[in-house]
């Protein structure tokens, strides 16, 4: 009831994608990245469905990890940025979370926090991303310090992140993969996120960390998830709420960006940037009305957008509109925006009704 703007989410497609990834990377283990509300899909819903199907779940904060424990998710959880405050160690250790260490400050906090239960530790190394992590020359010392720590449980693991893996030929890839291999410490390793999984099959090491691929999307420009055998988990839909018969020369929407080149029917769809549809979408961005491709025309509003109905003469008020997902890859829509699939998919708002197919 109410405004018919919804995200249809497919359990089947999610598990299909996990299967495709697992087969591709075998025998490497899979850390499913569910940070940022599972890339906008709903962190609880996604993680409950992934529970038992992946080796670990990856989150950005202890709040995200605790939310998963609350709904009964039993899969081990990795805090990929570690803790942000020392007191998080006792909670994280009680819950058995795996914890990343990217700075000496965090290592010092561990000593002070002296958690009752030892923790599983991952060391983050900066091989060229220039963001978080110890420099390769610091790693042996940190490795030694954590190895000898009474608060560490089990083997240490080492993690790094590629900066240019979407671009297979970028020279930084070779530099980073080489530095990572040369660490040569007795630890399990993890390097590849989605684009690395697609472009660098020789660098899977012990764990891979897919995010975007899980949701059926491609991180590589010019390709869609379907090209890799994946299926979109989210299909964003709404309905036609009005049809206007406009004359040649009439304008459509804010700023009168679109001027009708002839007498034509223009459809109004109940979705806008206030729902997460990208404001930067240009005229011509593909929208599906029923099964017909009808280009976006005019600026996207907060609650509405407008489409050229000329390709769909039978369209009526109430008809189903697909913004992306099954039948219309988000990767293609994103090419008509100044944005990337990652940002668009994580931006779907709560007022959109989220409807999952069977668990
Ligand atoms: C977000 C993230 C990933 C997942 O990236 P994708 O490109 O979505 O696969 C992997 N590793 C780390 C450290 C991340 O922060």
């Amino acid at each position: 009831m109410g405004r018919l703007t919804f995200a249809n989410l497919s359990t089947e497609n999610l598990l299909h994608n996990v299967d495709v990834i697992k087969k591709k990377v075998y025998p490497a283990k899979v850390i499913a990245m569910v940070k940022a509300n599972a890339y906008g899909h709903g962190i609880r819903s996604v993680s409950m469905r992934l529970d038992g199907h992946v080796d670990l779940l990856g989150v950005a904060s202890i709040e995200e990890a605790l939310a998963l424990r609350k709904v009964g998710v039993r899969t081990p959880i990795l805090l990929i940025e570690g803790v942000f405050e020392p007191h998080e160690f006792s909670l994280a250790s009680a819950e058995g979370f795996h914890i990343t260490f990217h700075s000496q400050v965090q290592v010092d906090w561990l000593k002070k926090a002296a958690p009752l239960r030892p923790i599983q530790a991952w060391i983050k190394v900066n091989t060229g991303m220039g963001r978080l992590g110890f420099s390769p020359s610091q790693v042996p010392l940190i490795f030694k310090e954590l190895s000898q720590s009474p608060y560490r449980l089990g083997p240490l693991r080492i993690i790094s992140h590629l900066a240019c893996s979407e671009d297979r030929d970028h020279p930084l890839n070779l530099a980073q993969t080489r530095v990572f291999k040369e660490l040569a410490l007795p630890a399990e390793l993890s390097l590849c996120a989605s684009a690395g999984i697609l472009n660098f099959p020789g660098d899977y090491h012990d764990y891979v960390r897919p995010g975007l691929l899980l949701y059926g999307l491609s991180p590589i420009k010019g390709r869609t998830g379907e090209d890799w055998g994946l299926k979109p988990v989210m299909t964003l839909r709404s309905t036609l709420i009005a049809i206007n018969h406009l004359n040649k020369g009439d304008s459509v929407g804010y700023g009168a960006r679109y001027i009708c080149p002839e007498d034509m029917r223009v459809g109004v769809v109940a979705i806008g940037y206030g729902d997460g549809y990208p404001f930067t979408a240009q005229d011509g961005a593909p929208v599906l009305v029923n099964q017909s491709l009808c280009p976006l025309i005019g600026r996207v509003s907060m609650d509405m957008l407008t489409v050229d109905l000329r390709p769909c003469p039978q369209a009526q008020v109430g008809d189903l509109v697909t913004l992306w997902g099954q039948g219309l890859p988000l990767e293609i829509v994103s090419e008509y925006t100044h944005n990337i699939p990652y940002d668009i998919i994580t931006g779907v708002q709560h007022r959109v009704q989220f409807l999952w197919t069977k668990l």
Side-chain angles (χ1 to χ4, degrees):
M1 282 308 288
R3 188 164 174 262
L4 296 175
T5 303
F6 38 94
N8 288 116
L9 295 135
S10 168
T11 304
E12 231 176 313
N13 289 2
L14 176 66
L15 295 179
H16 166 85
N17 296 340
V18 170
D19 230 51
V20 168
I21 296 165
K22 276 162 95 170
K23 287 201 176 104
K24 181 161 175 56
V25 305
Y26 183 84
K29 287 170 264 193
V30 173
I31 308 174
M33 301 306 294
V34 295
K35 63 188 179 182
N37 200 27
Y39 289 45
H41 293 68
I43 190 169
R44 295 172 187 80
S45 307
V46 166
S47 303
M48 283 159 63
R49 286 164 173 81
L50 291 177
D51 205 12
H53 293 277
V54 294
D55 299 285
L56 285 117
L57 293 162
V59 300
S61 71
I62 197 164
E63 289 82 5
E64 290 179 331
L66 291 171
L68 299 188
R69 285 289 182 261
K70 258 195 197 132
V71 292
V73 169
R74 303 308 334 156
T75 302
I77 300 174
L78 169 63
L79 308 179
I80 51 162
E81 292 165 36
V83 301
F84 297 86
E85 295 184 281
H87 71 81
E88 292 174 16
F89 273 116
S90 54
L91 203 50
S93 87
E95 295 287 346
F97 299 149
H98 292 225
I99 303 176
T100 302
F101 290 83
H102 63 73
S103 71
Q104 183 66 50
V105 174
Q106 292 174 319
V107 179
D108 296 342
W109 285 348
L110 175 65
K111 273 179 270 177
K112 281 208 201 91
L116 288 176
R117 289 177 52 184
I119 52 121
Q120 307 230 34
W122 295 61
I123 298 172
K124 177 126 184 183
V125 50
N126 172 24
T127 52
M129 175 75 167
R131 205 176 53 182
L132 289 184
F134 296 96
S135 70
S137 63
Q138 291 173 307
V139 170
L141 259 171
I142 292 297
F143 190 88
K144 194 167 162 217
E145 183 174 356
L146 281 172
S147 303
Q148 296 169 349
S149 167
Y151 309 116
R152 175 202 44 94
L153 174 73
L156 284 171
R157 300 179 179 95
I158 299 181
I159 183 169
S160 191
H161 200 47
L162 297 170
C164 301
S165 52
E166 291 90 354
D167 177 4
R168 194 202 299 244
D169 301 321
H170 197 289
L172 190 53
N173 290 313
L174 193 60
Q176 287 198 262
T177 50
R178 200 173 276 161
V179 168
F180 196 57
K181 276 182 201 130
E182 284 167 2
L183 289 172
L185 289 161
E188 288 189 312
L189 305 177
S190 173
L191 181 62
C192 288
S194 291
I197 291 170
L198 298 176
N199 278 338
F200 299 102
D203 294 279
Y204 291 162
H205 298 289
D206 303 289
Y207 294 87
V208 294
R209 308 188 304 271
L212 203 63
L213 293 183
L214 281 177
Y215 309 101
L217 300 170
S218 166
I220 293 172
K221 248 188 142 82
R223 310 292 296 267
T224 67
E226 210 180 314
D227 295 340
W228 313 109
L230 305 168
K231 298 178 180 176
V233 174
M234 182 195 294
T235 300
L236 186 66
R237 294 199 167 104
S238 187
T239 49
L240 270 184
I241 57 168
I243 294 177
N244 298 316
H245 297 258
L246 298 185
N247 298 319
K248 181 176 176 181
D250 286 349
S251 70
V252 178
Y254 285 111
R257 182 173 85 186
Y258 185 82
I259 307 291
C260 296
E262 59 181 343
D263 294 359
M264 59 190 278
R265 293 203 314 159
V266 171
V268 181
V269 184
I271 192 162
Y273 62 79
D275 300 289
Y277 189 89
F279 173 73
T280 59
Q282 296 301 303
D283 289 349
V287 173
L288 284 182
V289 176
N290 301 317
Q291 302 309 318
S292 311
L293 212 59
C294 293
L296 175 91
I297 53 174
R299 224 151 88 177
V300 175
S301 301
M302 190 179 289
D303 312 313
M304 286 172 270
L305 55 79
T306 35
V307 293
D308 179 352
L309 283 182
R310 285 176 296 176
C312 190
Q314 334 77 299
Q316 296 175 11
V317 166
D319 281 359
L320 193 68
V321 176
T322 302
L323 288 311
W324 65 65
Q326 253 146 46
L328 179 58
L330 169 62
E331 298 93 322
I332 296 191
V333 176
S334 78
E335 286 168 14
Y336 291 81
T337 72
H338 299 295
N339 215 337
I340 54 172
Y342 289 90
D343 192 33
I344 298 174
I345 201 81
T346 52
V348 178
Q349 299 295 306
H350 284 302
R351 73 169 174 173
V352 172
Q353 302 181 55
F354 281 61
L355 305 172
W356 279 90
T357 58
K358 65 176 192 282
L359 185 67

